[in-house]
Structure formats: C-alpha cells, structure tokens
Amino acid sequence: MNEKKQIRVGMIGYKFMGKAHSLAYRNLPFYFDTDAIPITQAISGRNEENVKQAAEKMGWASYETDWRRLIERDDIDLIDIVAPNDSHAEMVIAAAEAGKHIICEKPLAMTVEQAERMLEAVEKNKVVHMICHNYRFAPAVQFAKKLIKEGRLGKIRHIRATYLQDWIMDPNFPLTWRLRKDVTGTGTLGDIAAHSIDLARFLVGEFTEVVGMMETFIKERPIGEMTGGLSGKVEGGEMGEVDVDDAAAFMARFENGALGVFEATRLAGGNRNGNRFEINGELGSIRWDMENMNNLQVYFDQDEHGLQGFRTINCTEEYHPFAGAYWPAGHIIGYEHTFINLFTELMNGIATGKSPEPNFVDGLKNQKVLHAIEESAKKKSWVEIERS
Ligand code: SOE
C-alpha cells in the first residue's frame, strides 16, 4: 500500500475556530481515505499557559508562543490561520514566503489591497491555499450545487439569503475583537455576511453590483475579551465605542442576470446561527437552513398538480456529497463535519499541488463584494464589483 503523505499542520490560534479545525484534523482519517493525512504538529498562542493547555487538550504534539517560530519550523508543511482578521495578511505572506501551504479563516483580509497581496504571495510561492468557508461543505449545500449544475432548477432568477445570530444582543456583551474595526475590519458584514456571499458565489455565480446599508444599534459596550466560543467577559469597567456594523442589508445583481437580497445581523433574537438561503429558478426552488443543516427543501414546478410543494430531502445518503462517508442514512452529522469535509479537499489538494475551491481567488472576490457593500452604504448608491 502506498505510504500516505503526512501533512504536518501548524495552527496559529486555538480558540473557537481552533477547536473546530483541531477536531477536523484528528477525525478526518476516520471517515475519508485522502491522498494525504493531517498531523497535528503544533499550535501557537501568546499565552503560554493557555496554549500549552490547548495543545494537550486538543492533541497537538507541541506549541509555540510566537507564530513566526511556527512558520520557521521545517517540521511544518501547512499553516492554518484562525487568528483575528488583522493578522491574516502578515501571517499568510510570511507563511507563503516560507513555502508553507495555507488555510486561512474568513474573511481573508481587512481590505481588498491586503487580499490582493496575499493572493500574489501564495501564487508566487506556488503553495496550496484555501479559505475556510465551511458552509459550502454541508452535504445539503453540495447537493444543492449538484441540482443546480444538472439544470434541475433551470435558469436561476433569485437568491435571498439571511444570516441571523443573536449572541451580541445584550448591550453588556463586551467589546471583543469581533466588534473592533482595528482588529476585525467590519462587524457583521465580514463576520457572517461573508458566508452568504460565498454561498451565493458557489451556487448562483459572480456578483456584478450591490447596493447596501449598514447599521450599529448598540453604540458602546464595556471593554472585554472573548472567553471561547461566542462568549465574552467584561474586563475593568470602562466603556468603548462600537465602530463596526451590528447589521447589514444589501441587494445584488449577478453576471447570469439573477437578483439577490441579503440580510445579516447578530441582533436577531432567537436566531442562534441562522445561515439560510432560498434559490428560485425557472423550474423550481431550493431552501437550506444551517440550524437544520442535513435537510434541503426542494420544489419542482413539474411535479404533478395537487402534489406540488416543497419536500424535505434528508441529505445523509451516499447520493449526497460527503454524506456517505459518515453513517447510514438518517444518522445526521453536524457543524464540525463541514470542516472535516473541507479539509479532505485541502489534503487532496496538497497531495496534487492544486488549490481546491474556495481558495484565495474566492477570498479576494469575496473581499471585493464586502468592500463594494461598505462603499455603497457610505454613498447610498449602487456600486459595481471591481473586476479581477
Ligand atoms: C461568529 O459570528 C461566528 O463564529 C462566525 O465568525 C463564524 O464564521 C460562523 O461560522 C459562526 O459564527
């Protein structure tokens, strides 16, 4: 049997996304026979006590307290960046110049200019690169893509997508890094609307122009930090100004003539992770809701009259991409499996030297849409998407 290529991973960061990525690396070989397998070699974090504990808890062989050291190590093949957005560019460029393959959490960068430099660095250094838009890899979303590609919906006319959360509804939730422009760039827009933009690009096509609005409802919050997951704790008692959006709404036109309506907010009480879309074509429609991620609702206009209506497909069978690797039909999978599925593509990509989608080309296109929405909200007018 041919020896499996081992990909030694160095991950920068180790909290919420770090936990999801760690679990994916360790569990991937249970389910998939990829051309290369990940080895959890080292993580890095500034606080030695915390990063040491995280390495032990999540099964990493070693740790560093300086990410640059991780990049310098010759026993690391792949750098995985789960650090806050303001450090993505410096880390990606350093890792690319060190010849490391790279996966970076979304959004790729703080600006289009940074994203362009990051793409240039990975292409110049010929390293494999991906951006972690994990929701593409829910089997139901992959199956939606299959149906659209097979022409089962006909020409696509509409997408309406919402990404609704409520973890910062409490005005006493602290001013953590996801709420500070200098660290995150934009608030809800880059944090979760970026996912809706990626799903729209994956399922409908390229954006041509947008018109949008953004709003900050809670203008100041107590200073504090994340404590893991989406929890935070107040530190001291000072208040700080919130300089990022709580909510964004925008419309879009696509190259194929389709129209899009999008909304994202982290103040929609009762919606914990409401990443949802509906797509309408000439022949039918599909609906997906992350909070019910195994199911895809489908409607086909050619169904017999009297029997027409949305029906629910439980995408847990071998006909549904990635699903067959897990359990028998109906034994549903979860959020963490979207990362496992994405990482199988990454492992096969590294083994063949090809950057699977979504990669930094997608990350840059996503960044251009985010920028156009910000510009549109300022100008209160339509803004064209900068062409590649
Ligand atoms: C917070 O909004 C967050 O953790 C996002 O940053 C992730 O990308 C999303 O998958 C879940 O919610």
Side-chain angles (χ1 to χ4, degrees):
M1 188 176 90
N2 64 322
E3 267 304 294
K4 284 277 180 202
K5 186 171 166 59
Q6 295 197 334
I7 307 301
R8 299 162 298 180
V9 186
M11 184 166 71
I12 305 175
Y14 54 88
K15 291 182 180 165
F16 178 13
M17 284 303 139
K19 183 175 173 183
H21 290 209
S22 302
L23 186 143
Y25 289 126
R26 293 179 62 77
N27 287 282
L28 185 156
F30 270 69
Y31 305 109
F32 294 95
D33 187 18
T34 48
D35 298 335
I37 53 169
I39 304 296
T40 49
Q41 194 79 331
I43 54 173
S44 77
R46 283 168 300 195
N47 179 306
E48 177 155 19
E49 186 191 339
N50 292 346
V51 71
K52 181 173 184 294
Q53 194 181 41
E56 285 160 8
K57 184 177 172 69
M58 299 196 292
W60 289 82
S62 60
Y63 68 87
E64 300 286 351
T65 54
D66 176 355
W67 62 266
R68 294 169 187 79
R69 176 77 195 98
L70 208 58
I71 287 175
E72 285 160 7
R73 281 174 53 166
D74 57 11
D75 65 337
I76 299 285
D77 308 303
L78 165 67
I79 289 289
D80 180 348
I81 299 167
V82 296
N85 306 344
D86 62 333
S87 51
H88 289 185
E90 185 185 10
M91 291 174 177
V92 160
I93 292 167
E97 287 171 355
K100 308 297 186 187
H101 303 301
I102 302 164
I103 181 161
C104 186
E105 266 295 340
K106 42 46 63 182
L108 187 62
M110 299 282 276
T111 63
V112 170
E113 183 276 332
Q114 276 189 357
E116 284 168 339
R117 282 191 294 115
M118 294 158 83
L119 176 58
E120 185 188 352
V122 293
E123 289 184 336
K124 187 179 85 181
N125 291 283
K126 297 181 175 39
V127 294
V128 171
H129 47 95
M130 280 189 88
I131 179 171
C132 197
H133 278 296
N134 58 299
Y135 295 113
R136 285 193 188 203
F137 293 89
V141 174
Q142 291 282 321
F143 189 57
K145 174 73 175 177
K146 184 171 179 291
L147 293 176
I148 291 169
K149 215 168 161 184
E150 288 170 354
R152 309 289 291 272
L153 297 188
K155 183 169 170 44
I156 302 299
R157 294 178 171 140
H158 297 279
I159 178 170
R160 63 192 64 77
T162 58
Y163 200 148
L164 313 178
Q165 294 179 334
D166 61 2
W167 56 279
I168 55 170
M169 262 185 80
D170 178 353
N172 296 313
F173 187 93
L175 194 66
T176 62
W177 72 264
R178 280 194 174 91
L179 291 161
R180 288 175 35 210
K181 189 176 184 63
D182 62 329
V183 182
T184 190
T186 57
T188 291
L189 188 68
D191 184 31
I192 53 178
H195 283 299
S196 301
I197 291 165
D198 183 67
L199 289 170
R201 290 193 56 251
F202 180 52
L203 296 167
V204 176
E206 296 303 342
F207 287 71
T208 53
E209 56 179 348
V210 293
V211 64
M213 56 182 164
M214 297 163 72
E215 184 56 70
T216 306
F217 293 105
I218 300 174
K219 310 286 188 191
E220 60 171 15
R221 291 177 180 270
I223 303 297
E225 267 318 325
M226 299 303 280
T227 53
L230 292 179
S231 310
K233 76 173 169 23
V234 173
E235 287 166 346
E238 268 182 81
M239 298 297 280
E241 182 207 351
V242 178
D243 55 3
V244 296
D245 48 298
D246 285 327
F250 57 98
M251 296 191 293
R253 286 185 180 280
F254 292 83
E255 271 177 1
N256 61 3
L259 299 183
V261 178
F262 298 83
E263 183 190 3
T265 177
R266 298 180 295 197
L267 297 180
N271 295 278
R272 300 313 196 211
N273 199 30
N275 180 359
R276 305 178 180 116
F277 62 76
E278 175 170 323
I279 292 173
N280 310 123
E282 290 167 314
L283 304 177
S285 301
I286 50 175
R287 282 180 186 155
W288 180 73
D289 178 351
M290 173 59 204
E291 291 182 349
N292 199 357
M293 68 167 268
N294 290 281
N295 290 340
L296 184 72
Q297 288 192 304
V298 299
Y299 168 83
F300 295 115
D301 209 41
Q302 288 152 354
D303 281 353
E304 185 186 331
H305 288 292
L307 287 176
Q308 289 184 340
F310 275 99
R311 55 179 184 264
T312 300
I313 313 296
N314 185 258
C315 298
T316 56
E317 304 181 23
E318 69 270 18
Y319 316 104
H320 307 120
F322 295 99
Y326 291 99
W327 313 114
H331 296 59
I332 56 173
I333 61 172
Y335 172 70
E336 67 271 28
H337 300 94
T338 65
F339 292 91
I340 295 176
N341 296 344
L342 187 152
F343 286 0
T344 64
E345 297 280 287
L346 176 60
M347 288 299 120
N348 290 333
I350 292 173
T352 56
K354 184 180 174 311
S355 296
E357 294 179 3
N359 55 48
F360 285 14
V361 173
D362 299 291
L364 172 57
K365 287 180 177 176
N366 197 298
Q367 207 77 40
K368 288 181 174 177
V369 176
L370 293 171
H371 175 71
I373 296 161
E374 274 194 285
E375 284 302 294
S376 170
K378 285 179 201 144
K379 295 176 180 168
K380 296 189 187 328
S381 64
W382 283 89
V383 172
E384 282 193 10
I385 308 303
E386 192 190 319
R387 296 278 175 199
S388 297

